[in-house]
Amino acid sequence: MSAKYAMISTWKMSLAGMRKAKRLMESGGSARDALAAAITDVEDDPAFHSVGYSGLPNARGEVELDAGFMNGRDLSFGAVSGVKNIQNPILVARELSGLARSCFLTAAGAESYAAAHGFAMRNMLTEDALAAYRREMAKQTAVREADPAADAHDTVCVVAQDTDAELYAGVSTSGLFMKHPGRVGDSPVIGSGFYCDSTAGGAAATGFGEDVMRGCLSVRIVGRIAAGRSPQEACEEVLEAHLARLADAGYTPGNISVIALGRDGRFGAATNRAEFPFVVFDEAREATLMVCRSDGGRIRVEEADAAWLESYKGD
Ligand code: ASP
């Protein structure tokens, strides 16, 4: 049986936005708008330093943001990368998905498009983020331009399905803390950071973008769902195969976590971290925090309990 609507998102930081999205869906809103509400909630919250306002800066102390959006009905997509002062990059990515050409814009070109089309502009660098940058710089003897200095990054990713079994995917991130200026990760790259096709399902990824891009993980997961796997099987199979391939090629992969949603509302997640929190809801279930655990490659997914919530320190 299909769900009337369902949504899945990455990280605990998406919980408040997913509650808002659930209210929107209950009152007859579209999955497209609910997805944007969930993501802008994280973009606007200065408590989260890996997305939007107050995102952690690059090696030059500048915040560079990436976002992407896809509509699984007509395979339209939009994306922005390396934007410095757009308040809600996801909204610009979503607007760009209406264009058949020039729908992925970068840096100054994306900023001038956003300003010309009435999107809110804002200095996205906060005192807090600047202080974190200065602390990081003080630790370094030389600027390690190409080397992300700290394990401080995450992406808010959302996959949404609604009544007509239409699917949407959206992501927003400030990328890796201390990244090389101009570095773009997987997040705004269709097929890697996000993908959806309403005939099958949608998927998105968070973690070290270069390792995700090497395997184009999101489109591969959707391909597995199209071939008949459940979203959970698809996430596990694709991540396991990719990690093995990276190891064969001599890489020591960074953290990678993936989420997926089928057109029937079933969801899945996989990770190579000890634990990866994510959020789900559908018409029968409130926004619920889940934890995906990898124990030597064996994936377990369960609801987060009070003890876990107490002990979890991340976003
Ligand atoms: N995938 C993002 C990037 O590489 C970071 C993350 O999701 O943790 O920019």
Side-chain angles (χ1 to χ4, degrees):
M1 206 190 72
S2 287
K4 269 203 218 146
Y5 61 81
M7 274 176 66
I8 184 168
S9 62
T10 52
W11 306 112
K12 179 170 165 279
M13 64 183 168
S14 64
L15 185 57
M18 288 287 274
R19 288 190 174 125
K20 289 184 188 163
K22 164 80 179 172
R23 300 281 89 80
L24 262 171
M25 295 302 292
E26 272 175 344
S27 56
S30 69
R32 190 174 182 277
D33 289 342
L35 175 147
I39 294 181
T40 55
D41 186 83
V42 184
E43 287 180 333
D44 290 341
D45 192 333
F48 304 127
H49 289 301
S50 60
V51 176
Y53 183 60
S54 202
L56 286 170
N58 66 19
R60 232 189 265 144
E62 303 156 333
V63 183
E64 288 183 324
L65 305 166
D66 303 328
F69 174 84
M70 184 166 187
N71 177 337
R73 181 176 51 77
D74 58 10
L75 306 184
S76 60
F77 78 100
V80 293
S81 65
V83 297
K84 292 201 177 105
N85 51 10
I86 296 176
Q87 183 168 319
N88 293 113
I90 186 63
L91 298 182
V92 181
R94 188 179 68 164
E95 172 102 352
L96 286 167
S97 72
L99 304 179
R101 299 278 181 274
S102 299
C103 56
F104 187 171
L105 300 180
T106 194
E111 288 160 14
S112 62
Y113 176 92
H117 287 79
F119 288 92
M121 308 300 280
R122 179 181 204 180
N123 174 10
M124 302 297 273
L125 182 63
T126 61
E127 283 303 319
D128 260 13
L130 193 58
Y133 171 75
R134 291 196 176 119
R135 281 195 300 276
E136 195 56 44
M137 288 298 282
K139 278 198 240 158
Q140 298 185 15
T141 47
V143 179
R144 296 187 304 174
E145 280 215 313
D147 188 12
D151 189 19
H153 54 87
D154 286 335
T155 300
V156 59
C157 306
V158 177
V159 184
Q161 171 259 330
D162 71 16
T163 328
D164 305 316
E166 293 300 352
L167 281 148
Y168 302 87
V171 301
S172 183
T173 190
S174 51
L176 303 183
F177 182 27
M178 304 298 281
K179 63 191 175 186
H180 192 290
R183 176 264 185 192
V184 178
D186 61 310
S187 303
V189 178
I190 183 173
S192 283
F194 65 98
Y195 197 80
C196 63
D197 181 336
S198 297
T199 64
T206 176
F208 272 93
E210 289 75 3
D211 291 335
V212 173
M213 285 190 278
R214 285 185 181 101
C216 301
L217 295 187
S218 294
V219 70
R220 281 172 63 190
I221 292 169
V222 173
R224 290 282 173 128
I225 298 173
R229 300 290 201 279
S230 70
Q232 186 59 41
E233 288 164 344
C235 286
E236 290 186 29
E237 288 175 13
V238 169
L239 184 59
E240 190 186 337
H242 183 51
L243 291 171
R245 181 68 185 90
L246 285 175
D248 269 359
Y251 293 101
T252 305
N255 292 326
I256 303 178
S257 304
V258 292
I259 54 170
L261 191 67
R263 69 190 299 274
D264 57 5
R266 284 188 299 167
F267 68 85
T271 189
N272 64 349
R273 299 166 54 99
E275 49 184 29
F276 159 58
F278 65 100
V279 179
V280 290
F281 73 74
D282 57 29
E283 77 265 25
R285 173 183 3 209
E286 287 300 317
T288 307
L289 188 61
M290 310 289 295
V291 189
C292 176
R293 293 189 173 83
S294 171
D295 185 1
R298 210 175 66 85
I299 301 293
R300 262 187 315 135
V301 171
E302 57 202 11
E303 249 183 67
D305 60 18
W308 181 86
L309 264 175
E310 182 75 18
S311 66
Y312 184 65
K313 298 280 175 276
D315 289 341

